[in-house]
Amino acid sequence: MLTPTIAELQLLLAAVPAAYNRFTPEEAAAPRPGGKWSCLQLLGHLCDSAINNLTRFIKVQYEPQPLQLAYYDQNEWMSAQQYASAPHEEVLTLWISLNQSVLRAVSRLSAEQLALLFLRNDGTTVTLQWLVEDYVDHMKHHLRQMLPDQD
């Protein structure tokens, strides 16, 4: 079941806003060393991940199985969403709202629903449970980049 994953997401929703708000808007928007995405852009990327994954979590429940796991170009999304110049609070509010929606969508999934399948581009399949767990793992990876002292 997803109980530990849901609990992790709930903890992140409680902890990340306070940690992120320790950044000034200028600090959040500053590129990280090596020209890597700023913390603001990383949070924006996590919003894009939430948008795409929330759609996947819902569509797999009613579309023919296995559902093709559509990938998205993260750099194109970053450019289109213009996170580098977006207001600090707006992106944080979007991240919170999207992840509250993810929580609602995944909190009451049945064992049968968690076993629904996605077809990857390499021909392998993964379950909805795997994808939800991977979503939270991906989020934690980027949050560690943004907030390395939060572990």
Side-chain angles (χ1 to χ4, degrees):
M1 295 304 283
L2 285 178
T3 305
T5 303
I6 290 167
E8 279 186 287
L9 187 51
Q10 289 170 328
L11 286 172
L12 291 170
L13 274 165
V16 168
Y20 184 77
N21 277 325
R22 290 189 193 113
F23 294 122
T24 66
E26 296 77 22
E27 290 169 335
R32 291 180 308 125
K36 295 184 179 185
W37 285 345
S38 68
C39 292
L40 179 61
Q41 288 172 301
L42 282 171
L43 193 63
H45 168 65
L46 291 177
C47 291
D48 294 342
S49 175
I51 292 166
N52 281 275
N53 280 289
L54 180 59
T55 302
R56 294 167 176 167
F57 300 158
I58 294 168
K59 288 176 78 171
V60 73
Q61 296 179 56
Y62 66 85
E63 292 200 358
Q65 293 287 293
L67 179 63
Q68 179 69 43
L69 186 58
Y71 291 93
Y72 66 99
D73 186 320
Q74 64 186 13
N75 292 315
E76 290 295 333
W77 277 71
M78 180 67 62
S79 176
Q81 291 275 44
Q82 301 178 39
Y83 289 121
S85 61
H88 175 82
E89 284 299 319
E90 178 186 314
V91 178
L92 179 60
T93 300
L94 179 61
W95 180 85
I96 293 166
S97 181
L98 286 166
N99 281 289
Q100 288 169 334
S101 293
V102 167
L103 269 174
R104 273 193 309 280
V106 303
S107 289
R108 292 199 170 102
L109 293 171
S110 67
E112 294 79 24
Q113 289 169 313
L114 291 172
L116 294 171
L117 295 175
F118 291 91
L119 178 64
R120 300 167 100 178
N121 286 344
D122 65 5
T124 61
T125 58
V126 295
T127 64
L128 175 55
Q129 178 166 343
W130 181 91
L131 195 63
V132 173
E133 291 168 348
D134 184 66
Y135 169 75
V136 173
D137 287 343
H138 171 257
M139 180 188 301
K140 290 177 1 188
H141 165 75
H142 286 302
L143 290 172
R144 282 190 296 272
Q145 291 175 322
M146 291 170 45
L147 309 164
D149 299 330
Q150 294 298 304
D151 281 340

